[in-house]
Amino acid sequence: MAKAKEPKETAGKGMEEKTEARLRELFEKMPYPARVLLFTDKEKNEPFNQAARQVLQILRQVSPKVQIEEFDLRGEEARKWNVGSSPALLFDPEHYRIRWLGPPIGEETRTLIIALQMLGYRSAGLSDESRKILKKIDSPRHLKVFVSPTCPYCPQQAVNGFNAAIERPDLISLEIIDIQANPDLARKYGAQSVPQVFADEKLIAMGAQPEELFMSSLEKMEEQRIFIPETDAAEVETDLVIVGGGPAGLTAGIYAARSGLRSVIVEKGILGGQVATTPVVENYPGLTQVGGKALVDIMLEHALQYANIFPGEEVTEIRPGDPFLVLTNRRRFKTRALLLATGARYRNLGAPGEARLSGRGVSYCSTCDGPLFTGKKVIIVGGGNSAVTEALNLKNINVDATLVHRRDGLRAQEHLLKSLKANNIPVLLNTEVQEIRGDQEVREVILTNNKTGERKTVPVNGVFVAIGYDPEVELAKKLGVELTPDGYIKHDGRHRTNVQGIYAAGDVEGGYKQIVIAAGKGSEAALTIFEDLINPYWKKPA
Ligand SMILES: Cc1cc2nc3c(=O)[nH]c(=O)nc-3n(C[C@H](O)[C@H](O)[C@H](O)COP(=O)(O)OP(=O)(O)OC[C@H]3O[C@@H](n4cnc5c(N)ncnc54)[C@H](O)[C@@H]3O)c2cc1C
């Protein structure tokens, strides 16, 4: 039997030869060395010290352009730079005021590699718009970006922070704070949901933001949701604009472009949609078990070969006509057809305390926030696949998790229910959350049994809400697209809506919500659009 070839490892543990060669090439081109000082105290956070040391050593072995020096936290150098926590990394402190409290591991290793390149070029890779915004800042700002190694959204904000601090070293200083290595700081700032960004102790952003929105939030010192460029937005002419970069949108991009249509995919949040936050996928054909993020990367790499992808752009307005005009927060598109693959978003519980304590113990993403609750007690509210998946994920990282569901039975798939039982996760049926309580963070929940009326107070540190999704139909409604009684986009069976030139695909159409189904719908919609556009009798929209 042929034996699979082991990937060659070279620079320390865990790096393949190809990756190392690519990194070496990138680092060697840098005109300046990327200098990082690591401060450790073996009495404090030793496992994190070792993790930080290991990742830095691996990168140092790749190229001499990466210069790492380690110092004792109790020594002279630590006093000189006023470093007080372990591990702490200082990035080229002669030029910048950037430090990282904790180890740059997991998702954050990507941030570290990008940061080293910024140091090596002594320059941030910012867009002209972002540069213009940063130029307007005329007083010092100190940024704190809270991250965790398991959070897929965090590198985007951390890189934004580096960009700002490297572009304006005269005024902007930065601390990246790992919440696992610094739970006391996370508690102090109530940063229980990552990423969170503080500027001069004021919360200016929750969640990942496009670069310009991050810079605008920093400039205005409050969270910005829409970025309006000062100059006329650039214009892109295309045959098809796909709104949404989930499995439906990405697949539609591949199929449409392969049919010869110029296609663009516009995504306002994380590429991959809901899949990006799914811990493990076990039912995508051909892949026995794959991480959601890894699956997104595979799809994305494929889609990028065909379609132009515009991440971090929200479609805010669509003006019907010939062509349609599609406006985003960065530019406008002129297109012959439009595919709404806008998916679904999580549903709120509506219990008193939920909104106020959101990000302070109330969470909607166990992959991002789960590690903060290790060794703590939480409830997961819901009874479907999402709720059971979240419960299993939390249990897997040693969270004391209880599932709470208002009906008398769970609606999850059989294999998930089996895992739930095998993992001894308690389930409270016929139980509703009346209130979530706590001052700065979640302290307890009031639960009632809707059969017996029994009411009890349960002390918990967290509440994970997993009660389903609402279709994203705001754009559809504005366009006069007809909806089903359940609020999904109505179509003719071939993804055409009632508005000519506008199509729908994926979760936004209702039905089973699965990756392979969304992908299938995306491909079907693209083929319909192709047929309609090449059909000489196709009536153009008025
Ligand atoms: C926790 C969890 C676990 C799951 N596990 C599985 C599983 O194991 N197997 C499985 O098959 N399925 C699973 N699913 C379901 C699956 O992820 C969804 O069915 C699938 O992602 C739907 O794809 P979609 O492209 O239709 O929508 P989405 O994935 O929701 O993507 C839609 C995208 O459109 C973007 N968008 C919306 N409005 C705009 C706008 N105005 N401008 C720009 N972009 C916009 C959104 O940001 C989003 O990224 C899971 C879902 C969750 C939440």
Side-chain angles (χ1 to χ4, degrees):
M1 191 171 66
K3 198 168 171 274
K5 205 173 151 198
E6 294 287 331
K8 271 194 193 166
E9 287 181 0
T10 47
K13 255 196 279 171
M15 195 181 301
E16 286 180 22
E17 199 177 62
K18 230 167 83 183
T19 315
E20 186 188 336
R22 177 79 189 115
L23 275 182
R24 180 174 300 114
E25 193 187 319
L26 289 172
F27 289 150
E28 304 274 284
K29 281 187 193 149
M30 302 185 317
Y32 303 101
R35 187 166 173 249
V36 180
L37 312 189
L38 169 66
F39 292 86
T40 56
D41 176 344
K42 60 177 179 302
E43 304 293 320
K44 292 183 187 168
N45 267 344
E46 185 53 10
F48 290 122
N49 296 337
Q50 281 176 17
R53 190 175 295 125
Q54 195 184 3
V55 77
L56 290 171
Q57 272 170 2
I58 289 173
L59 291 170
R60 175 171 51 190
Q61 282 168 36
V62 169
S63 162
K65 283 278 173 70
V66 178
Q67 298 182 356
I68 312 291
E69 291 162 71
E70 183 167 354
F71 299 96
D72 193 316
L73 190 65
R74 285 164 292 191
E76 186 54 37
E77 198 71 11
R79 275 192 293 282
K80 175 181 164 191
W81 297 109
N82 196 19
V83 185
S85 74
S86 176
L89 282 66
L90 265 58
F91 291 78
D92 198 348
E94 307 288 353
H95 293 95
Y96 305 107
R97 289 169 299 142
I98 304 175
R99 52 187 64 190
W100 191 314
L101 311 184
I105 54 175
E107 297 281 349
E108 290 305 327
T109 304
R110 272 190 291 144
T111 310
L112 175 66
I113 290 169
I114 295 168
L116 290 175
Q117 289 174 67
M118 288 189 210
L119 294 186
Y121 284 92
R122 293 202 186 145
S123 146
L126 286 169
S127 69
D128 290 345
E129 292 297 343
S130 297
R131 268 204 189 98
K132 267 185 231 156
I133 300 165
L134 285 180
K135 249 190 198 151
K136 288 194 237 162
I137 294 179
D138 56 6
S139 61
R141 304 266 200 281
H142 180 65
L143 276 171
K144 284 188 171 71
V145 181
F146 286 87
V147 300
S148 97
T150 51
C151 158
Y153 306 103
C154 291
Q156 193 174 335
Q157 286 301 72
V159 168
N160 281 336
F162 269 99
N163 270 324
I166 284 183
E167 180 72 17
R168 292 298 308 267
D170 53 332
L171 291 177
I172 299 169
S173 53
L174 167 71
E175 274 175 304
I176 304 285
I177 301 171
D178 177 291
I179 57 169
Q180 291 184 32
N182 301 278
D184 44 342
L185 277 176
R187 250 192 315 275
K188 181 175 165 198
Y189 284 85
Q192 297 205 327
S193 182
V194 285
Q196 283 194 29
V197 182
F198 291 79
D200 297 345
E201 310 298 302
K202 187 171 184 258
L203 181 65
I204 60 158
M206 281 181 83
Q209 293 173 300
E211 186 186 286
E212 287 86 355
L213 286 184
F214 180 98
M215 303 307 162
S216 301
S217 305
L218 177 57
E219 192 241 325
K220 299 202 163 62
M221 290 296 283
E222 67 180 352
E223 183 153 15
Q224 302 298 302
R225 293 184 192 279
I226 296 177
F227 171 67
I228 302 159
E230 280 171 12
T231 52
D232 280 351
E235 195 169 272
V236 178
E237 260 188 63
T238 186
D239 295 319
L240 173 65
V241 168
I242 298 161
V243 190
L250 292 173
T251 313
I254 295 169
Y255 270 74
R258 282 174 63 86
S259 301
L261 299 179
R262 292 170 301 162
S263 309
V264 304
I265 301 168
V266 184
E267 169 56 56
K268 69 173 175 181
I270 301 285
L271 281 160
Q274 295 166 60
V275 188
T277 57
T278 303
V280 181
V281 177
E282 293 185 331
N283 55 4
Y284 195 79
L287 302 168
T288 328
Q289 191 182 69
V290 61
K293 181 73 179 32
L295 182 55
V296 169
D297 288 346
I298 295 168
M299 287 184 177
L300 201 54
E301 212 179 332
H302 194 178
L304 273 168
Q305 290 181 18
Y306 294 102
N308 286 322
I309 300 182
F310 295 83
E313 282 192 40
E314 179 168 7
V315 174
T316 50
E317 199 184 331
I318 296 163
R319 293 186 195 149
D322 180 19
F324 285 102
L325 222 53
V326 178
L327 309 185
T328 76
N329 51 323
R330 287 196 192 167
R331 72 198 88 230
R332 66 186 201 166
F333 297 87
K334 280 182 173 172
T335 183
R336 298 171 67 198
L338 201 97
L339 175 65
L340 298 173
T342 45
R345 62 180 167 217
Y346 60 74
R347 200 171 279 165
N348 291 318
L349 201 53
E354 180 190 11
R356 183 173 58 81
L357 293 166
S358 174
R360 296 173 183 273
V362 174
S363 174
Y364 302 85
C365 172
S366 66
T367 329
C368 308
D369 306 332
L372 205 65
F373 295 86
T374 296
K376 295 186 177 174
K377 193 174 160 64
V378 307
I379 57 163
I380 301 107
V381 190
N385 288 339
S386 300
V388 177
T389 306
E390 301 245 326
L392 289 166
N393 182 35
L394 290 167
K395 174 81 181 183
N396 196 37
I397 51 171
N398 291 326
V399 178
D400 179 356
T402 299
L403 199 60
V404 172
H405 186 41
R406 65 194 167 105
R407 295 187 201 278
D408 56 8
L410 300 175
R411 288 169 289 111
Q413 288 171 357
E414 197 52 39
H415 73 278
L416 290 173
L417 294 177
K418 276 188 192 151
S419 300
L420 195 70
K421 210 165 168 194
N423 280 280
N424 292 320
I425 296 174
V427 181
L428 300 178
L429 295 174
N430 299 311
T431 304
E432 295 183 25
V433 179
Q434 288 300 309
E435 191 179 345
I436 304 169
R437 288 181 172 173
D439 297 328
Q440 291 306 308
E441 14 181 280
V442 170
R443 188 170 29 91
E444 61 190 25
V445 284
I446 313 289
L447 303 179
T448 50
N449 184 305
N450 55 25
K451 280 263 156 69
T452 63
E454 186 200 348
R455 182 181 158 98
K456 59 182 175 185
T457 304
V458 181
V460 291
N461 306 104
V463 177
F464 284 81
V465 181
I467 53 168
Y469 295 83
D470 289 317
E472 281 259 6
V473 289
E474 285 313 305
L475 288 172
K477 276 190 196 161
K478 278 192 210 163
L479 284 162
V481 168
E482 215 177 313
L483 303 181
T484 66
D486 297 341
Y488 292 94
I489 295 181
K490 195 171 166 186
H491 63 101
D492 70 346
R494 291 197 57 195
H495 310 281
R496 299 180 184 100
T497 71
N498 61 310
V499 180
Q500 190 166 13
I502 299 194
Y503 302 78
D507 276 10
V508 77
E509 293 177 302
Y512 292 120
K513 294 181 185 63
Q514 289 289 284
I515 303 163
V516 69
I517 293 172
K521 287 175 171 178
S523 62
E524 237 179 28
L527 294 174
T528 300
I529 294 166
F530 170 69
E531 280 177 26
D532 285 354
L533 288 187
I534 58 155
N535 181 349
Y537 304 107
W538 188 69
K539 230 172 83 232
K540 288 183 178 174

